[in-house]
Amino acid sequence: HDTLFMGMHVLQGNLEIVMELLSGQQRRLTAKAKNKDGQTPLHLAVRNGHTAVAAKLLEAGARPDAKDKASSLAGVQGVV
């Protein structure tokens, strides 16, 4: 599943693979996908300190105002 695959690489900070996943036709969908907790790849990147990954996700259309199931924002202020 693409969401799980993307999330795994975002959590690990694998910038090259994340960039490859974002280069396809589904880049906006991939950047905005949510896991079972409603977290987007941007939530995961920011919470794990992967600022370069977060920046690429934002370039690909990730929404910094997206909320997860706990109503938490990705919190990109001051990170990217």
Side-chain angles (χ1 to χ4, degrees):
H1 194 270
D2 287 345
T3 305
L4 180 61
F5 191 67
M6 172 64 98
M8 177 181 69
H9 289 289
V10 168
L11 281 171
Q12 295 173 355
N14 293 331
L15 181 59
E16 289 182 26
I17 295 174
V18 170
M19 287 174 54
E20 186 177 319
L21 290 169
L22 293 173
S23 69
Q25 292 179 337
Q26 300 292 323
R27 72 183 266 169
R28 292 212 182 272
L29 272 177
T30 303
K32 295 178 182 179
K34 292 187 174 190
N35 65 16
K36 64 179 177 61
D37 296 320
Q39 298 167 329
T40 64
L42 185 59
H43 282 97
L44 301 175
V46 170
R47 289 183 182 151
N48 288 281
H50 301 304
T51 56
V53 172
K56 289 299 177 187
L57 290 165
L58 288 167
E59 287 175 18
R63 295 192 51 180
D65 60 342
K67 293 182 179 180
D68 64 13
K69 287 185 178 178
S71 295
S72 299
L73 294 172
V76 296
Q77 304 87 330
V79 176
V80 252

